[in-house]
Amino acid sequence: MNAFHSRVAAACAAFALIGAAAAAPTAVAAPRAKAAQPTKDASPMFSAQRQTEHRGEHDDLLSAGLGLDGLRAAAPPAFADPAHPTAAELRRRALWANWRGIADLAVGGGYGEVYGSVQRVEGREYSAYARLPGAHQPHRVLVQVPDAFDAGKRCLLVAASSGSRGIYGAIAVAGAWGLPKGCAVAYTDKGAGTDYFDLDAGLGVRADGSVGKPEDGDLAFLPSAAERAAAGGVAFKHAHSGDNPEADWGRHVRQAAQFGLSALDRAYPQQAPFTWANTRVIAVGISNGGGAVLRAAELDDEPWLDAVVAGEPNVHVDGARALYDYTTEAALLMPCALQHKPLAAMPAAPAGATAEAYCAYAAAHGLLGDGAAEASNEARAEAAYRQLRDNGWSDAALRAGALSVSFDLWRAVAATYASAYGRYAPAAKPGAGGSKYDQPWLPFAYAAADAAAKPPLARAAGANERAAWWSDASGIPPGAGVQLFAPSGGDPAQALAPLAGLRALWTGKSADANPAPGLAAAHRRVREGIAATRASAPRKGLPIVVVHGLDDGLIPPAFSSEPYVAMARRAGAQVAYWQVRNVQHFDAFLGLPALATRYQPLLPYVYAALDRVEAHLADGAPLPADATVDTGLREAGQALQASQLAIPR
C-alpha cells in the first residue's frame, strides 16, 4: 500500500528468439524436491505477448538509461508528443515514477552509496497478460532477463508490485537486487495496476502502455459494455475489475513465475527447459507485494518456491484486524487523535477539512463515547487517541500515520478496497438509471478535475492527461490528474458522512439516524470479499524472512506481520522476523528533511534478507535469526551512514 511516482516497440504475436546467444552453463543447480513442470493453474493463459530489447547508451533494464542522476531529476522524462507518447517513452517514464514512488533516492539518503544499485543492466523484457481461470480481467506479467544471466546459478526472482502500482511497481525491490546478480526477475501487477479506462472517451490502455480503443482487442482492462454505457469518469482495475484481486494475489505471483520460466526457455533455448526443479525461485515484495508473496508461500499443491522475503506485508490472518477494518477506523478518528498533545504527532487533516471537524463529527455520531458531544476539542482528541490505542495502534504507528492523513490515503484506500471486496461496478453517471451516485454505501466516483474550482469539479480528461496515466499513476486515485469525488457540501458533516458509510460496511451499523437502504446486504458483500483474502500457513520447510518497520503507520505490524508470523510458526513454518525501529512505511518520503532525521529506509533490510536467503540456498549458510533492530538516526544535513542501519549479521 504506497504513493508517488517507454518500452522499445516490437510487438509480436509470440516471442521471437532474438538477442544474445546463451553461453554454455558452467554448472546446473542440483535438482531439489520440486515439481518438474508447472501444473494446474499451472496452465495459465498468456496473451498479448511481447519481447523488447534494452541496450545501448540510452536504455537498460533497471532505469531505461536514466541512471541514478536521471531518476533523481525532479521532472519526469518528457514525451515528444504529449498526446501520443511512444512505448519507449512510456516505459522510461514508468520506471522513473516507480523508482521515485518506492525508494529514497535523495542525495545523502544512501541509495547507490550505502545500499542498493541502479547500475546499467542490459537485456530483454518479455511481457504478457495472464488470466486466472474465471477471472474477468487479466493481470500483467513481465520478465526481465539480463544479458549477463548466470546460467550456472539459474536464479529467478518473482515479485509483486507494492500498493496498486503498475507492472514496474517492484523494480526498486526485486530488479535492483536481482538483475545485477545475474538473476532474471518476473513481475506481476497482481490484478491492479495503472491500466485506467476513460469511460467518457471509451479508451483504455494497450499492452505497450499506449491508449487504445476496445476494438483494438489488446486492452489490459476493459469494463463490460453495460458498465461503459452507464458509468462516466475513470475506472481502474483494482476497484472495478469485478475480481477482488487480493483474494488471488498468491496465484498471480505463481503465474508470473511460470511466465518467468517460459521466458527463460525462449531467451536461452540451449539451456531449456527451465523448471521448478532446476531453477532457484525466490519471491520478494513489500507492502501489498509483501502480502502477495506470503500468499504465494501457502500454495503447496506443488513445491515451486525456494524462499520468500516479505517487507512490511499487508497480510490478513484469522483473529487479526483486517486492513479494511483499521483503515476505515483511521479515516474517521486519526485526524482527531493526532491533536492529542502528549502524542507529540504532526497534527494533520486532509485538504479541505480540519482536524476539529473530524472530532466534532465523531462526537456528534457517538463514536467517542458518552459525553463527547459536550466535551472540548482537547477532550475529544484524547478520547479518539485512547480508542485507537485500545484497538491496537502504537504511538509510533499513530505518529507515522499522520502522513496517510495528510495525503488523504485512508479515504483513498478505503474507497478502493470497498469497491474491490464488494466487486462493485463504477458509479453510474446521472441520467444513466441512477442518481449522481447510485451506490449509497459507496458514493464515490473518479474523474479528471478542474483544479481551479473550489471544490474541484469533475470534467472529461484531455488526451495529454490520458496518455500519461499508465506511466504516472500509482494505481489508486487521487493522483496523475484523476481525483476521487464524493458527495459534499458546506456542512463538514456532509463531507465526512461518506467515511462513516465506508466504516459501516465493516461494522454493519450506520452512524446515520436515517441510513440509506441496503446496508446489511452491502456489509455482507464486503465482509465476504475480505474473508476471501485471509492468509493460510506457508508450506513447511520453506525459508521465509519477514521484515517490518516498528513505526509503520499504514500497515502496522501489530495487525499484519506479527500475527502472521505467530500463525505460521504455530503451523510449523520456518520464519525469521526482523522488526526495525525508526522505520515507517514510505521510503520515498525520506527525501523530506523533517522525515530524514526521524526515520530510516526499509529497503536495506529487504536487500540484506535476500542476501541471507541466497547464501542459505547456495552455500548452506544458516538462515537469519529473529532480530529487533535498533537503528541510529541522522542529524539534519547528515548523509546516511551504514553503521546507523545496524543491519543484522
Side-chain angles (χ1 to χ4, degrees), residues 68-80:
L68 185 57
D69 289 343
L71 293 173
R72 283 173 170 167
F79 298 151

Side-chain angles (χ1 to χ4, degrees), residues 542-614:
L542 177 66
I544 298 173
V545 182
V546 177
V547 183
H548 212 144
L550 288 173
D551 289 37
D552 195 326
L554 184 70
I555 309 290
F559 305 146
S560 53
S561 61
E562 184 178 314
Y564 175 85
V565 169
M567 176 275 294
R569 286 175 171 169
R570 286 194 300 270
Q574 185 178 15
V575 185
Y577 189 27
W578 288 358
Q579 301 172 83
V580 191
R581 302 191 195 279
N582 303 315
V583 169
Q584 49 83 51
H585 198 80
F586 303 103
D587 281 16
F589 289 177
L590 301 187
L592 301 172
L595 300 182
T597 57
R598 181 178 291 192
Y599 298 116
Q600 294 288 18
L602 178 79
L603 278 178
Y605 305 95
V606 174
Y607 297 157
L610 284 167
D611 289 340
R612 299 291 292 275
V613 298
E614 181 190 45

Side-chain angles (χ1 to χ4, degrees), residues 1-5 71 94-105 162 165 168-169 171-172 286 312 472-474 585-589 603:
M1 301 167 62
N2 327 23
F4 285 0
H5 328 342
L71 293 173
L95 285 166
W96 178 89
N98 281 285
W99 267 101
R100 291 172 62 85
I102 298 301
D104 174 18
L105 301 179
S162 64
R165 290 185 170 276
Y168 291 105
I171 186 71
I286 64 171
E312 55 188 24
D472 293 5
S474 69
H585 198 80
F586 303 103
D587 281 16
F589 289 177
L603 278 178

Side-chain angles (χ1 to χ4, degrees), residues 406-430:
S406 296
F407 288 99
D408 201 15
L409 288 181
W410 298 124
R411 183 177 71 126
V413 169
T416 295
Y417 282 70
S419 184
Y421 294 143
R423 302 173 190 258
Y424 285 105
K429 57 189 173 185

Side-chain angles (χ1 to χ4, degrees), residues 9-210:
C12 51
F15 291 118
L17 298 177
I18 58 177
T26 56
V28 175
R32 299 176 302 283
K34 292 168 64 180
Q37 295 290 349
T39 59
K40 294 187 178 177
D41 77 57
S43 291
M45 180 188 295
F46 298 121
S47 62
Q49 298 188 22
R50 305 175 65 247
Q51 176 181 325
T52 57
E53 299 192 17
H54 305 280
R55 303 184 181 91
E57 183 180 356
H58 301 296
D59 198 10
D60 76 312
L61 295 178
L62 265 182
S63 72
L66 293 170
L68 185 57
D69 289 343
L71 293 173
R72 283 173 170 167
F79 298 151
D81 179 351
H84 303 94
T86 67
E89 289 174 331
L90 286 162
R91 175 181 177 270
R92 181 173 294 111
R93 188 143 149 175
L95 285 166
W96 178 89
N98 281 285
W99 267 101
R100 291 172 62 85
I102 298 301
D104 174 18
L105 301 179
V107 174
Y111 204 95
E113 291 123 12
V114 177
Y115 69 96
S117 173
V118 193
Q119 74 180 63
R120 175 179 296 277
V121 180
E122 297 185 333
R124 288 163 281 178
E125 287 187 355
Y126 301 83
S127 62
Y129 301 152
R131 190 184 294 267
L132 292 169
H136 293 86
Q137 305 290 343
H139 63 109
R140 285 185 183 263
V141 290
L142 181 144
V143 181
Q144 295 181 311
V145 180
D147 288 345
F149 176 74
D150 189 334
K153 187 164 61 174
R154 297 172 76 98
C155 171
L156 174 66
L157 240 64
V158 59
S161 295
S162 64
S164 301
R165 290 185 170 276
I167 193 60
Y168 291 105
I171 186 71
V173 180
W177 185 87
L179 292 173
K181 293 178 179 290
C183 295
V185 183
Y187 305 88
T188 172
D189 68 7
K190 61 190 192 317
T194 55
D195 298 306
Y196 291 10
F197 191 91
D198 187 332
L199 294 158
D200 298 318
L203 298 171
V205 180
R206 297 188 183 104
D208 65 359
S210 63

Side-chain angles (χ1 to χ4, degrees), residues 388-459:
L388 292 173
R389 282 303 309 264
D390 289 347
N391 289 343
W393 292 85
S394 68
D395 281 358
L398 289 172
R399 284 190 284 266
L403 294 168
S404 297
V405 171
S406 296
F407 288 99
D408 201 15
L409 288 181
W410 298 124
R411 183 177 71 126
V413 169
T416 295
Y417 282 70
S419 184
Y421 294 143
R423 302 173 190 258
Y424 285 105
K429 57 189 173 185
S435 60
K436 182 178 181 183
Y437 299 98
D438 66 321
Q439 298 167 159
W441 295 101
L442 198 61
F444 298 93
Y446 302 85
D450 181 357
K454 301 298 181 185
L457 297 175
R459 59 167 175 79

